[in-house]
Amino acid sequence: MSADEVAKAFVQHFYQTFDTNVAALSGLYAPNSVLTFEGTQVSGTQNIMAKLSGVGQVKHDIKSMDVQPSQSQNAIIIFVTGSIKIGGDNPLHFCEMFQLVSTGPGAYYVHNNVFRLNYGL
């Protein structure tokens, strides 16, 4: 699969899973994964899942996705923009970055993840 194909499949899976069963995202992270969520950094699968689960019920609407190769042939960078409804409130704009690292043919984990709401747009 090309980097674009991997990114498209990942983004679709990640946000659909986040919206319906956030606990199922745990398999995408590893003990060395790092998440920065609105300026707060946590690391490790358990801490990341606690942070993501604490957001509550969400619904994402993806607007754009950009993909770049990383420093290694085994990693890609994905940048996503869109809107998110949290608990049924009005949608807010967000951007999110992922670095996926390959663990084998067709298998990746999220090594880095940065999420930020965009206010005043």
Side-chain angles (χ1 to χ4, degrees), residues 3 8 16 30 33-34 36 39 41 51 53 58 63 69 79 85 87 90 95 114 116-117:
K8 286 177 188 173
Q16 182 177 21
S33 296
V34 179
T36 302
Q41 189 173 97
K51 189 67 168 172
S53 297
V58 297
K63 301 294 185 199
F79 185 75
K85 286 185 178 182
N90 290 330
C95 59
V114 179
R116 186 63 82 163
L117 291 171

Side-chain angles (χ1 to χ4, degrees), residues 7 40 43 52 78 86 98:
T40 301
S43 60
L52 296 179
I78 305 169
I86 302 172
F98 302 92

Side-chain angles (χ1 to χ4, degrees), residues 107-120:
Y108 292 84
Y109 78 96
V110 178
H111 184 72
N112 300 95
N113 184 183
V114 179
F115 176 90
R116 186 63 82 163
L117 291 171
N118 300 317
Y119 297 104

Side-chain angles (χ1 to χ4, degrees), residues 1-114:
M1 291 178 76
S2 72
D4 284 335
E5 291 170 325
V6 169
K8 286 177 188 173
F10 170 79
V11 167
Q12 180 180 5
H13 173 72
F14 182 87
Y15 292 107
Q16 182 177 21
T17 304
F18 200 149
D19 292 353
T20 59
N21 181 15
V22 70
L25 292 175
S26 65
L28 298 176
Y29 294 94
N32 63 337
S33 296
V34 179
L35 166 69
T36 302
F37 190 92
E38 285 291 293
T40 301
Q41 189 173 97
V42 295
S43 60
T45 305
Q46 185 175 350
N47 293 329
I48 291 170
M49 292 312 302
K51 189 67 168 172
L52 296 179
S53 297
V55 175
Q57 183 61 43
V58 297
K59 174 68 177 130
H60 293 87
D61 182 21
I62 304 310
K63 301 294 185 199
S64 69
M65 180 193 73
D66 297 297
V67 183
Q68 290 185 349
S70 189
Q71 87 288 358
S72 149
Q73 290 183 346
N74 295 329
I76 59 174
I77 303 289
I78 305 169
F79 185 75
V80 178
T81 65
S83 61
I84 181 173
K85 286 185 178 182
I86 302 172
D89 290 341
N90 290 330
L92 301 167
H93 296 283
F94 77 92
C95 59
E96 189 159 20
M97 184 281 302
F98 302 92
Q99 178 175 226
L100 302 185
V101 176
S102 176
T103 58
Y108 292 84
Y109 78 96
V110 178
H111 184 72
N112 300 95
N113 184 183
V114 179

